Amino acid sequence: MKYFDLSYEAVNFLGQFGQHLNATTSETVELVSEFLRPICVVFLDQQFRTQSRPKSLYLSNPTVNTYLRDAGFEFLAPNAPTHFSPFDRRRRTGLKAFTNRRDDEIVLAWVREQVMVHFPNFTSELERDMVKKVYEIVHNGMVHSHSSHGVSVFGQLFPQKKTFEIAFYDAGVGIPQNVRNYGERIDSDAGCIEWALRSGTTTRPSKESGGMGLFLLQKFLGINNGFLQIASGNGYYERQGNQEPQCKALQHFLHGTLVSIKVRQTSLSYSYKHQS
Amino acid sequence: MQALHVLNIVGSPVLLASEKGETLKLAIIKALESFPFVAVDFTGYQFISSTFFNYAFGALCIEEAWNHDDFGKNIKIQGLSEDDAEELELCLFNVQQRRNLLANNINTEEFYATRIPV
């Protein structure tokens, strides 16, 4: 894919690439692209971490290779061309893989040092919201993915659009499988994602409490007029602000769970009332 | 009344991790063995997550078979911001819904499965 955006087509392509990566016996896998974004970085990071035999990634575009290298991606092929980075590194976070759900203070430090710097004049309330939301997405991934490789996270500022994108990916079980293991009656993977976003729904055992994190994330992005994208299995979900969500079936199965949020640079925070 | 200062119990003003919620839950249970109710004081906290609420109070309500009124009789919450207090209310509401299903012998897995859009 020449230019990745935050779209259904881009996620479809990632699923296709992931299948190719898992199927190939080649030690070096080529990706043809001239522009990546955070969903690509986290997806590639976990996909290459979880290979049973070491593989490396090759792109012919030195700018893209440099972008990945500077992000902290460790699986570039040795002969992948790079050059002096034209990117302003202050626009990006470092690529981080969180593997221990006890590390809440590490998540806090990462958000403070690498995310909040991109929100000028942020309020303590906005910082609180961002820390909570990032932690809860990371925690969800670590608890529900059953993956020993944790969750990869990466963010980037798009200054002209005044938005900050953060992407999260785990190459674990995936939402649809978790939900089916719990309920066994869901036909569509996109329906499983929608179910997981409701208040009070959780795949934790009956006697455990849960079902708030994703619901509150939606509310936060609704007030911020931000964007939420979730892909898992053959399910795809996206929602802009408080608009009607779009749910579709992916053409290519995506292992694990990919979450991307786009937050507008604003000091607006929110209060909410729980719905009965 | 026993007052539990969360930051002293958990050892941090960062209340995100589930394990910290569990630590608080155990401290509350132990305190209630000796006192009719406890005050849980969050003064000085910096960050708190729904995960923490679920593991501290959601799990407590399920284990102790408390409804919302029972919670209020046993626990006095102090020092939470308005937003976070509302988030705690949502946690308790979700727990109540779940307990209602269990009390009516409704299998929660099957119940939620029938609510899924085709």
Side-chain angles (χ1 to χ4, degrees):
Chain A
M1 189 170 209
K2 197 173 182 184
Y3 297 105
F4 277 91
D5 55 6
L6 262 188
S7 69
Y8 167 79
E9 289 73 24
V11 174
N12 247 331
F13 182 89
L14 288 178
Q16 185 179 28
F17 180 81
Q19 289 176 4
H20 167 66
L21 176 63
N22 290 325
T24 186
T25 55
S26 300
E27 290 182 358
T28 303
V29 181
E30 183 171 4
L31 174 65
V32 179
S33 182
E34 296 185 22
F35 180 79
L36 301 182
R37 61 193 314 133
I39 56 168
C40 309
V41 176
V42 296
F43 181 80
L44 292 170
D45 187 54
Q46 282 290 320
Q47 284 288 316
F48 278 86
R49 282 176 186 269
T50 54
Q51 292 300 303
S52 54
R53 289 184 309 161
K55 294 177 182 172
S56 62
L57 176 67
Y58 178 86
L59 296 100
S60 61
N61 186 316
T63 300
V64 178
N65 287 329
T66 305
Y67 175 84
L68 284 171
R69 179 199 66 193
D70 290 352
F73 183 73
E74 298 173 355
F75 304 96
L76 274 178
N79 60 338
T82 59
H83 56 37
F84 177 74
S85 172
F87 294 111
D88 183 352
R89 296 182 188 185
R90 292 173 297 175
R91 293 184 186 179
R92 303 191 303 270
T93 71
L95 174 61
K96 180 74 176 174
F98 295 102
T99 56
N100 189 334
R101 63 183 189 179
R102 288 187 174 84
D103 291 339
D104 56 351
E105 307 210 18
I106 293 178
V107 174
L108 167 61
W110 186 85
V111 173
R112 274 183 156 167
E113 292 164 11
Q114 306 218 20
V115 176
M116 297 316 299
V117 294
H118 300 289
F119 290 85
N121 305 316
F122 67 87
T123 64
S124 59
E125 287 79 13
L126 180 63
E127 181 189 53
R128 179 203 66 194
D129 291 338
M130 290 298 295
V131 167
K132 285 159 65 102
K133 298 305 168 247
V134 170
Y135 177 78
E136 287 173 4
I137 297 173
V138 169
H139 181 267
N140 266 0
M142 287 194 280
V143 167
H144 296 294
S145 72
H146 306 291
S147 168
S148 60
H149 299 277
V151 182
S152 290
V153 189
F154 181 73
Q156 181 172 343
L157 174 70
F158 292 87
Q160 289 185 337
K161 297 195 175 178
K162 294 184 168 41
T163 59
F164 192 85
E165 281 181 28
I166 310 176
F168 310 76
Y169 178 65
D170 71 77
V173 172
I175 293 175
Q177 189 61 53
N178 269 325
V179 174
R180 289 205 178 87
N181 289 344
Y182 186 79
E184 300 181 4
R185 292 188 189 179
I186 307 162
D187 290 331
S188 76
D189 287 7
C192 294
I193 296 173
E194 256 198 320
W195 180 90
L197 285 162
R198 296 182 195 168
S199 176
T201 55
T202 177
T203 56
R204 291 190 196 147
S206 303
K207 298 198 175 179
E208 288 188 19
S209 177
M212 293 171 63
L214 289 178
F215 171 74
L216 292 173
L217 172 66
Q218 277 202 108
K219 291 185 73 71
F220 169 75
L221 291 173
I223 293 172
N224 178 260
N225 197 24
F227 179 81
L228 172 63
Q229 179 189 64
I230 301 177
S232 189
N234 283 111
Y236 177 85
Y237 176 101
E238 71 172 48
R239 189 175 190 189
Q240 175 67 51
N242 282 320
Q243 295 176 20
E244 280 298 306
Q246 294 187 42
C247 299
K248 302 178 190 177
L250 289 170
Q251 294 168 345
H252 300 283
F253 187 88
L254 186 98
H255 283 281
T257 302
L258 179 66
V259 177
S260 188
I261 64 174
K262 191 160 53 176
V263 182
R264 290 193 308 119
Q265 280 182 301
T266 173
S267 60
L268 179 68
S269 186
Y270 77 101
S271 296
Y272 72 94
K273 298 287 183 186
H274 70 273
Q275 297 172 358
S276 56
Chain B
M1 180 180 73
Q2 171 76 0
L4 299 179
H5 297 277
V6 178
L7 271 59
N8 291 343
I9 291 168
V10 171
S12 169
V14 179
L15 308 175
L16 301 174
S18 54
E19 285 76 11
K20 293 177 180 176
E22 269 192 82
T23 299
L24 177 60
K25 181 194 77 175
L26 293 173
I28 294 172
I29 290 173
K30 187 172 181 183
L32 287 173
E33 290 172 359
S34 305
F35 296 90
F37 59 91
V38 298
V40 180
D41 189 351
F42 284 90
T43 300
Y45 80 104
Q46 292 179 1
F47 301 91
I48 197 165
S49 67
S50 64
T51 302
F52 181 92
F53 282 138
N54 282 325
Y55 278 81
F57 300 115
L60 181 65
C61 288
I62 290 176
E63 288 176 24
E64 300 296 318
W66 286 348
N67 60 25
H68 191 280
D69 288 344
D70 295 328
F71 181 87
K73 288 174 189 169
N74 286 281
I75 310 281
K76 308 297 176 193
I77 300 291
Q78 298 168 349
L80 275 183
S81 72
E82 185 179 339
D83 280 349
D84 291 331
E86 289 173 353
E87 195 162 313
L88 172 56
E89 285 295 310
L90 179 60
C91 168
L92 297 176
F93 176 79
N94 285 342
V95 168
Q96 189 59 53
Q97 296 284 82
R98 185 165 278 252
R99 287 195 61 241
N100 288 344
L101 294 174
L102 293 172
N104 290 318
N105 290 319
I106 294 174
N107 182 301
T108 53
E109 287 87 345
E110 289 184 7
F111 174 82
Y112 285 119
T114 60
R115 295 304 196 260
I116 294 155
V118 173

